[in-house]
Amino acid sequence: MKSEALHSDPTLDPTSTTEVGTLADRISEAIGKNSIREFAIKIGVSEGTLRNLIKGGEPKLDTAIRIAEEAGVSIRWLATGNGPKYPNRQRDDISQEGIVYVHQDQFNEEYFLIEGYDVVVSTGHGAFNDETGVRRRLSFRKNWLKYRGLKPENLKVVYAKGNSMEPAIHSGDSLLVDISKTTLEDGCIFVLRLGDDLYAKRLQKLFDGGIEIISDNKEYKSQIVSAGELPMLQIIGKVVWMGKNLD
């Protein structure tokens, strides 16, 4: 079996400038650490009304404006998820060369940095927890992670090598792996260890208790790990997002 990569078709872009999640998510985020009752009093609505909005109800325009004003967020961001979250903290630090700078506190509030490992370096450890294996850190929007139900402490980025998962995955693609998800799900792509090497493969349960390891590239034959050989196979984590190279 050759070195390869992982893939999960993203439905949302975690690195885009467009916010993700629902209106209810953004209202909850605007309330922040306030209690629902406390925030409702501040904006002049009943606690029941505010709870209904958090559950997905549509606010009246004046209520949305009061929520935005109380939270100090942009009404456009609250309503649509687009544009800067904070009206007075826009990306306005622009050099003469047109380079945009983001304040550190704004970056920390909007993003998590996820450790990116060289998949070859990390093969000897069984998990992505050795600081010497970190190549870089990639930023992902906090709201995107929340929307997907992902916890930053469970996420690692690895880099694909080889062509066995083409056309879905190409060598050099970035792969976000949730190391808390080690229970096999038929047809999903996992990072797994077989022997001394890491791979990115689709997995399929077999009726006899074994597992079929599947490559998307049909030039590579599937491999069967029998029930008796399962101790040789370790599932490191599930691929939950992939960033593709364009070259």
Side-chain angles (χ1 to χ4, degrees):
M1 190 183 292
K2 300 181 180 179
S3 301
E4 42 262 29
L6 340 149
H7 168 62
S8 179
D9 185 19
T11 57
L12 295 168
D13 183 357
T15 59
S16 74
T17 57
T18 300
E19 204 54 79
V20 300
T22 64
L23 173 59
D25 291 332
R26 294 188 291 277
I27 290 175
S28 295
E29 187 173 338
I31 293 172
K33 296 181 180 179
N34 296 286
S35 71
I36 296 176
R37 182 175 183 276
E38 176 186 4
F39 197 86
I41 292 173
K42 288 180 179 179
I43 64 172
V45 301
S46 69
E47 181 178 349
T49 295
L50 190 55
R51 288 187 181 277
N52 180 59
L53 298 180
I54 294 172
K55 293 179 180 178
E58 290 289 336
K60 296 180 180 179
L61 178 59
D62 62 333
T63 301
I65 292 173
R66 278 180 277 166
I67 292 173
E69 289 179 345
E70 179 61 35
V73 300
S74 161
I75 183 63
R76 178 169 179 255
W77 172 86
L78 183 68
T80 68
N82 295 321
K85 179 178 178 181
Y86 300 103
N88 297 322
R89 252 200 288 171
Q90 307 206 14
R91 298 177 183 179
D92 52 4
D93 291 343
I94 304 177
S95 71
Q96 292 182 351
E97 293 77 18
I99 300 175
V100 178
Y101 296 91
V102 179
H103 292 293
Q104 184 68 43
D105 59 344
Q106 181 182 0
F107 180 88
N108 290 339
E109 188 163 354
E110 296 286 343
Y111 294 92
F112 278 116
L113 289 174
I114 306 298
E115 293 174 341
Y117 289 74
D118 188 319
V119 69
V120 174
V121 172
S122 61
T123 56
H125 303 288
F128 305 105
N129 57 9
D130 188 337
E131 188 67 23
T132 61
V134 177
R135 286 177 55 184
R136 66 193 71 172
R137 290 172 173 82
L138 276 66
S139 59
F140 288 83
R141 281 190 172 275
K142 291 183 177 181
N143 273 1
W144 181 84
L145 296 175
K146 179 181 177 181
Y147 184 83
R148 293 289 304 271
L150 302 172
K151 296 182 178 181
E153 62 269 23
N154 295 332
L155 300 174
K156 306 297 177 184
V157 175
V158 295
Y159 302 93
K161 291 188 177 182
N163 65 354
S164 72
M165 292 298 287
E166 291 183 355
I169 305 168
H170 293 82
S171 189
D173 288 350
S174 302
L175 310 165
L176 184 65
V177 182
D178 188 337
I179 61 175
S180 72
K181 297 181 178 180
T182 57
T183 300
L184 192 152
E185 300 175 40
D186 284 350
C188 293
I189 299 178
F190 290 85
V191 174
L192 58 96
R193 169 173 287 106
L194 189 59
D196 294 327
D197 297 313
L198 286 183
Y199 301 95
K201 294 288 189 179
R202 297 190 191 277
L203 299 181
Q204 182 75 39
K205 297 177 184 177
L206 301 177
F207 290 112
D208 62 3
I211 293 176
E212 183 179 8
I213 302 175
I214 304 168
S215 299
D216 282 7
N217 186 338
K218 299 310 177 186
E219 293 184 5
Y220 290 76
K221 294 182 179 180
S222 295
Q223 182 170 348
I224 303 299
V225 179
S226 68
E229 296 173 324
L230 287 182
M232 298 173 53
L233 176 68
Q234 179 186 7
I235 297 178
I236 302 298
K238 181 181 178 182
V239 179
V240 294
W241 177 86
M242 181 188 72
K244 298 188 70 65
N245 282 332
L246 297 179
D247 56 332

